Amino acid sequence: MSDEKDVDTMLAFCIVNPGDTEGRVVELTIPKPDGPGFALIRVLRAGVCNTDLEILQGYMGFHGILGHEFVGIVEQVNGAEWLQQEWIGKRVCGDINVGCQNCIICQGSFDHKSCQMSRNHCPNRSVLGILNRHGTMAEYITLPVTNLHIVPDDVPDEVAVFAEPLAAACRIPEQGLIDYSPTRPDRVAILGDGKLGLMIAEVLGRYHMQHVPSAQKPVMFGKHEHKLDFVKNSGVECRLVDECYDESTFNGISQDHAQRYDVVIEATGSPAGLTLASGMCRPMGTLVLKSTCAAGEQFNAAPFVIDELKVVGSRCGPIDKALELLALHDQEGVIAANQTPLHVEKYITKTFPLAEADKAIECAAEKTTMKIQIICTPSGNEYGNEYDE
């Protein structure tokens, strides 16, 4: 690839052919808005997450431009002048699912939750960098303006990129899966100290402090003390997952944690995590699945049936709520005492330019890495170097 590129082309990190297990930086034609109501967005930064790494191993059979976390600036809108005036020049994040707008789910023929169903469950949807739609590791992307959310001016680019993964954590309270009644609030356990598990702890710890600050905190279980340290001041109690096991018991789970939690959120990314979660959840309790790993042929359904557990999947969440959390500040009087500012910058391990996206992917796959971001186009206010290690 030459150092100079045509004015009508852009750089992108792409899985070029179906079945490829690696991507490369290529030059592609800058896309045009797909149709009426679509926008062309110049990507400022993109995030790398575990789903991207799984896609490179064949998950979803995807080929095209990788990535679904981003912040960017709207440069074109296919629509009326008022729509262009509303969006052009705005800095935005976006919902990753693009619905067909024609099916029964998109048309909202169900109930008051139809907007959430359309956001996540259109059967004909495309998904940024995951399913039938080019993703965000590029200089430009297209999305409907209905998918876009304006980023507050005081939220910097490197913080705004966290809106999508943080929204996935916000989906749990949006689903109403935790009872915060002051008389008997739910006891909550979170399993998994990966990037998603930590985001869940950040969110649920703050919800706890806001609604039932005097009750038992959500308990965050992980394998790594240095990762648990990220959320020790976020309203959760941190413990090593090893203390959950006891080989002397019939199900291998310590009596201190067996069937002790009303809601258990499984975010380990491992089938073994699902087994542990079912043993920690009380009878008729709720088990929330955030992991997309396959359980395999050895899956044992007996604990779920015997204990009558309610198993609920939880997926993409409200970007607007995530941006609200990211916009909380430390200044006196700006926020209430029980709303702790969320400093997600601490999770950034390193940033890379888009031309070195292959190196960014390699770094993201290392066990010691937390969050990698890719600078896709300059914003005039770069923050990456101060986080490089």
Side-chain angles (χ1 to χ4, degrees):
M1 186 176 63
S2 64
D3 293 336
E4 296 184 3
K5 64 184 182 70
D6 186 72
V7 68
D8 294 324
T9 64
M10 67 176 185
L11 295 183
F13 183 74
C14 189
I15 301 173
V16 178
N17 302 304
D20 285 356
T21 57
E22 61 181 14
R24 65 177 185 265
V25 178
V26 297
E27 284 188 24
L28 298 174
T29 302
I30 295 174
K32 298 182 183 301
D34 303 48
F38 275 76
L40 176 69
I41 302 146
R42 178 167 63 88
V43 182
L44 299 172
R45 288 194 179 217
V48 182
C49 85
N50 286 343
T51 300
D52 301 318
L53 303 181
E54 292 169 1
I55 287 173
L56 285 166
Q57 299 302 315
Y59 174 62
M60 295 295 292
F62 176 78
H63 71 282
I65 301 171
L66 198 62
H68 54 275
E69 303 173 2
F70 80 99
V71 60
I73 295 176
V74 178
E75 293 205 342
Q76 296 178 23
V77 172
N78 184 342
E81 184 177 351
W82 67 265
L83 193 64
Q84 296 180 23
Q85 291 177 348
E86 180 179 351
W87 286 104
I88 290 177
K90 296 295 193 299
R91 194 166 56 113
V92 296
C93 296
D95 296 311
I96 69 174
N97 300 286
V98 179
C100 69
Q101 304 306 314
N102 295 316
C103 67
I104 189 172
I105 290 178
C106 288
Q107 291 294 324
S109 301
F110 288 91
D111 54 20
H112 67 286
K113 295 182 179 179
S114 61
C115 65
Q116 298 170 21
M117 294 181 67
S118 177
R119 183 185 70 207
N120 287 356
H121 300 297
C122 168
N124 309 310
R125 67 186 177 275
S126 60
V127 188
L128 271 177
I130 297 175
L131 179 67
N132 298 330
R133 177 166 290 275
H134 284 313
T136 61
M137 295 181 193
E139 293 181 288
Y140 291 91
I141 62 171
T142 62
L143 275 177
V145 294
T146 52
N147 280 54
L148 302 181
H149 303 266
I150 295 175
V151 178
D153 291 339
D154 53 356
V155 175
D157 294 342
E158 79 276 16
V159 171
V161 177
F162 283 86
E164 193 280 331
L166 192 65
C170 291
R171 177 63 175 147
I172 296 171
E174 183 187 49
Q175 289 173 283
L177 299 177
I178 300 174
D179 185 353
Y180 289 107
S181 61
T183 54
R184 175 42 173 94
D186 280 342
R187 296 161 298 181
V188 178
I190 304 162
L191 300 183
D193 58 9
K195 291 181 280 291
L196 179 55
L198 292 170
M199 290 295 104
I200 293 169
E202 297 277 18
V203 169
L204 296 188
R206 283 164 174 78
Y207 267 82
H208 176 87
M209 289 189 289
Q210 184 175 1
H211 295 285
V212 285
S214 61
Q216 177 185 333
K217 295 179 180 179
V219 185
M220 171 74 174
F221 293 94
K223 292 182 176 180
H224 313 91
E225 288 189 6
H226 70 280
K227 291 185 178 181
L228 294 175
D229 284 343
F230 281 112
V231 294
K232 64 183 180 181
N233 296 318
S234 299
V236 296
E237 179 183 344
C238 296
R239 296 187 180 184
L240 292 174
V241 72
D242 287 347
E243 70 176 71
C244 296
Y245 295 102
D246 183 350
E247 294 182 358
S248 67
T249 64
F250 82 97
N251 62 357
I253 299 175
S254 165
Q255 292 183 359
D256 291 336
H257 299 290
Q259 299 187 333
R260 293 299 179 94
Y261 301 93
D262 303 289
V263 180
V264 180
I265 295 120
E266 198 290 306
T268 66
S270 165
L274 181 60
T275 301
L276 175 61
S278 66
M280 295 174 64
C281 194
R282 68 161 172 83
M284 300 179 67
T286 301
L287 202 164
V288 183
L289 298 185
K290 276 294 188 181
S291 295
T292 54
C293 62
E297 296 180 359
Q298 301 302 316
F299 173 70
N300 180 16
F304 301 90
V305 177
I306 294 170
D307 290 335
E308 298 184 315
L309 300 182
K310 180 168 67 175
V311 181
V312 183
S314 183
R315 195 164 161 260
C316 303
I319 297 282
D320 52 350
K321 182 60 181 179
L323 288 170
E324 287 179 17
L325 287 174
L326 294 172
L328 294 176
H329 296 290
D330 287 311
Q331 290 92 339
E332 184 177 356
V334 174
I335 61 174
N338 60 358
Q339 291 181 298
T340 304
L342 177 50
H343 298 296
V344 292
E345 304 94 324
K346 64 190 176 186
Y347 292 108
I348 302 174
T349 301
K350 197 169 185 178
T351 59
F352 291 83
L354 180 57
E356 297 179 4
D358 53 342
K359 295 180 181 178
I361 296 295
E362 290 177 5
C363 186
E366 296 175 1
K367 289 186 177 181
T368 56
T369 297
M370 290 305 300
K371 196 66 179 178
I372 296 297
Q373 292 186 357
I374 297 173
I375 299 174
C376 296
T377 62
S379 66
N381 187 15
E382 305 303 339
Y383 302 88
N385 290 338
E386 63 186 281
Y387 303 111
D388 288 357
E389 293 182 350

